[in-house]
């Protein structure tokens, strides 16, 4: 029998990629107003308007109910501050479920708070593994999964990873990719954006070929010698094709700290973009060069060639079924891989990964309802 009490769900967002995922969940739950009551908590991990506010507006998300205002800091400081401030929110709001997404510091901090005070946590995008403990996100993934009550996975291999780590199979549900839900919902809105024209890429209704770049991983931007290698590859590439690089604040800081002799040549550095403008560029790019996790998935879905400047990926389906290739942060290797990708005429579209169909959030809604009914019945 269905319970008449609303299911009280508290969503956590902190950093840019979280907004895109939680937007899909809030949208799906808002369509079930008689079932869910939602609260949105923003930790404030990302606070610049271009990294945060613009996303809420474009993704049609409500203003957060609670803002923890933690800002930047070392991993320990940021994680500790989120935990301290989030604990009183959970004690006050008494949610049935806290939903955390992805692998950022906010994800782990909030999951850990809940595990310690006995509030159920659902982790969306569980089970992804790069097997590289040097990545802060890998630590966040492994630990969040260990303390979560419900593991909601986006690609098939995630279940194997979780079972290997001793997580009981009844906690794991393969639901698909919520980021692709948001992409499919908002893709039509990119037609009306002027970004291609504004950047001089749309000439007489023909899109000029261009390469789109995003980089922010500590392993690529914090070591000046690695950053120089990547910059030199981009500079060489930009001699032959337009290269557009929306710069993450972390990367901008690192560029500012580098020797003036470092040159990006004709690479066009622009401010970090909002969701719709970025998507408008991404779908039209001849090639994307990135170290982001989500962009590997979006390009796979869009069928756009992608070079990921990393030694590994926690999203292997983007390689097996997508257009993604890994490349070392060495100028010659990046250039060679970029030329190869650009020479290829349009690759035949591959099969889209399983359950990347725009309905992942609806499946999560169903799982949460079932879990809640089971818990009520057992009470
Ligand atoms: C974080 C996530 C990463 C995600 C990325 C997306 C962790 C460990 N990392 O990395 O997984 O891919 O977000 O963007 O959680 N800064 C600003 N303004 C902001 C936010 C950050 O200037 O609004 C600067 C600050 O100098 C800060 C630095 O960027 O110290 C790093 O920010 P932080 O949130 O710690 O990590 P990201 O590198 O953004």
């Amino acid at each position: 029998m269905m319970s008449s009490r609303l299911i009280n769900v508290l969503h956590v967002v902190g950093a840019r990629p979280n907004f895109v995922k939680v937007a899909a969940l809030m949208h799906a739950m808002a369509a079930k107003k008689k079932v869910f009551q939602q609260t949105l908590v923003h930790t404030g991990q990302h606070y610049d308007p271009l990294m945060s506010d613009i996303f809420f507006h474009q993704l049609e998300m409500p203003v957060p109910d609670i803002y923890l205002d933690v800002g930047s800091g070392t991993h320990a400081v940021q994680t500790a501050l989120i935990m301290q401030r989030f604990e009183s929110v959970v004690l006050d709001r008494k949610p049935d479920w806290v939903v955390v997404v992805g692998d950022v510091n906010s994800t782990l901090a909030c999951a850990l708070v809940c595990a310690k005070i006995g509030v159920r946590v659902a982790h969306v995008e569980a089970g992804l593994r790069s097997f590289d403990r040097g990545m802060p996100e890998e630590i966040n993934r492994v630990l969040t999964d260990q303390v979560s009550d419900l593991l909601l996975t986006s690609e098939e291999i995630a279940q194997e990873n979780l079972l290997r780590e001793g997580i009981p199979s009844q906690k794991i549900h393969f639901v698909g990719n919520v980021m692709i839900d948001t992409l499919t919902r908002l893709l039509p809105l990119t037609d009306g954006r002027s970004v291609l024209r504004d950047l001089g890429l749309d000439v007489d209704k023909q899109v000029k070929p261009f390469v789109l770049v995003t980089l922010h991983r500590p392993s690529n931007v914090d070591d000046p010698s690695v950053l120089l290698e990547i910059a030199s590859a981009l500079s060489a590439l930009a001699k032959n094709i337009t290269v557009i690089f929306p710069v993450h604040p972390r990367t901008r800081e690192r560029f500012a700290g580098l020797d003036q002799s470092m040159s990006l040549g004709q690479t066009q550095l622009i401010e970090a973009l909002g969701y719709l403008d970025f998507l408008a560029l991404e779908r039209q790019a001849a090639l994307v060069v990135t170290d982001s996790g989500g962009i590997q998935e979006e390009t796979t879905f869009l069928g756009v060639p992608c070079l990921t400047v990393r030694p590994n990926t926690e999203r292997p389906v983007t390689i097996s079924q997508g257009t993604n290739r890994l490349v070392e942060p060495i100028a010659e290797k990046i250039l060679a891989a970029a030329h190869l990708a650009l020479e290829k005429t349009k690759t035949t579209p591959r099969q889209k990964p399983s359950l990347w169909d725009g309905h992942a959030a609806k499946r999560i809604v169903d799982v949460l309802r079932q879990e809640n009914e089971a818990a009520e019945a057992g009470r």
Side-chain angles (χ1 to χ4, degrees):
M1 205 181 64
M2 239 179 76
S3 160
S4 58
R5 198 176 65 82
L6 292 176
I7 305 174
N8 181 357
V9 175
L10 194 151
H11 304 272
V12 174
V13 291
R16 192 168 56 173
N18 297 163
F19 309 141
V20 185
K21 295 164 195 166
V22 169
L25 290 167
M26 293 197 79
H27 209 250
M29 288 185 196
K32 305 263 177 222
K33 279 205 174 60
K34 294 196 175 136
V35 181
F36 294 99
Q37 175 193 333
Q38 308 190 68
T39 303
L40 179 60
V41 178
H42 188 334
T43 64
Q45 177 173 348
H46 283 178
Y47 45 84
D48 283 349
L50 288 178
M51 297 293 285
S52 180
D53 302 4
I54 189 169
F55 284 80
F56 279 80
H57 174 67
Q58 296 192 341
L59 299 169
E60 296 157 355
M61 280 171 84
V63 173
D65 300 286
I66 296 157
Y67 188 68
L68 303 181
D69 196 20
V70 299
S72 300
T74 63
H75 287 272
V77 166
Q78 197 173 54
T79 308
L81 206 51
I82 297 170
M83 287 184 71
Q84 193 182 346
R85 295 188 180 167
F86 186 65
E87 185 179 44
S88 51
V89 172
V90 179
L91 291 173
D92 178 44
R93 299 273 172 153
K94 300 185 179 53
D96 296 303
W97 285 99
V98 168
V99 177
V100 296
V101 297
D103 56 15
V104 303
N105 288 342
S106 302
T107 312
L108 172 61
C110 295
L112 197 47
V113 165
C114 295
K116 298 258 182 180
I117 54 180
V119 169
R120 287 178 297 175
V121 189
H123 182 206
V124 175
E125 209 182 81
L128 297 181
R129 296 291 180 268
S130 65
F131 304 102
D132 175 0
R133 296 277 173 114
M135 273 181 96
E137 293 82 1
E138 183 73 355
I139 307 289
N140 292 342
R141 289 181 201 117
V142 171
L143 297 179
T144 302
D145 287 339
Q146 281 297 327
V147 297
S148 292
D149 301 277
L150 203 51
L151 293 295
L152 301 157
T153 62
S154 56
E155 61 172 274
E156 274 153 320
I157 195 135
Q159 165 133 351
E160 282 172 42
N161 294 335
L162 293 169
L163 292 175
R164 201 180 321 106
E165 290 171 15
I167 305 227
S169 62
Q170 60 273 23
K171 284 188 177 181
I172 309 170
H173 298 263
F174 177 37
V175 291
N177 192 327
V178 286
M179 209 186 57
I180 301 299
D181 289 10
T182 298
L183 187 151
T184 49
R185 177 167 67 94
L186 297 180
L187 200 60
L189 297 189
T190 62
D191 291 339
R193 309 298 297 179
S194 64
V195 63
L196 285 156
R197 239 187 357 266
D198 298 345
L199 290 167
L201 298 169
D202 191 351
V203 184
D204 299 331
K205 301 217 182 296
Q206 288 273 56
V207 177
K208 249 172 78 177
F210 68 95
V211 177
L212 180 64
V213 180
T214 81
L215 296 163
H216 71 278
R217 294 255 160 240
S219 60
N220 283 332
V221 305
D222 286 3
D223 178 345
S225 64
V226 176
L227 190 52
L228 277 168
E229 282 288 326
I230 300 174
S232 126
L234 297 180
S235 161
L237 202 56
K239 288 184 184 148
N240 298 316
I241 186 166
T242 304
V243 179
I244 307 284
F245 187 172
V247 188
H248 185 288
R250 177 192 193 92
T251 311
R252 191 169 288 282
E253 269 177 31
R254 301 300 182 264
F255 279 144
L258 277 186
D259 191 319
Q260 288 305 311
S261 64
M262 192 210 73
S263 165
L264 281 150
Q266 295 169 58
T267 305
Q268 291 185 39
L269 298 186
I270 59 173
E271 292 283 350
L273 292 170
Y275 182 73
L276 293 175
D277 283 344
F278 189 80
L279 193 54
L281 289 179
E282 193 179 13
R283 71 184 298 194
Q284 297 285 2
L287 172 69
V288 171
V289 177
T290 190
D291 56 12
S292 148
I295 293 169
Q296 296 173 53
E297 294 182 342
E298 289 172 348
T299 48
T300 287
F301 186 84
L302 295 166
V304 172
C306 178
L307 288 183
T308 299
V309 190
R310 282 179 45 189
N312 47 53
T313 178
E314 62 288 336
R315 294 162 158 92
V317 78
T318 62
I319 299 205
S320 59
Q321 286 198 23
T323 47
N324 190 21
R325 301 273 174 282
L326 298 178
V327 61
E328 286 176 74
I330 295 172
E332 284 160 27
K333 296 202 174 178
I334 298 173
L335 257 185
H339 284 141
L340 201 67
L342 288 167
E343 271 161 22
K344 275 197 201 149
T345 41
K346 202 82 184 156
T347 42
T348 29
R350 313 233 177 133
Q351 204 190 333
K352 297 230 193 307
S354 186
L355 301 191
W356 290 20
D357 57 358
H359 302 298
K362 286 197 197 108
R363 289 185 203 101
I364 292 175
V365 161
D366 290 343
V367 172
L368 283 175
R369 283 179 83 159
Q370 284 157 16
E371 289 286 324
N372 226 60
E373 278 165 28
E376 297 263 305
R379 227 171 241 165

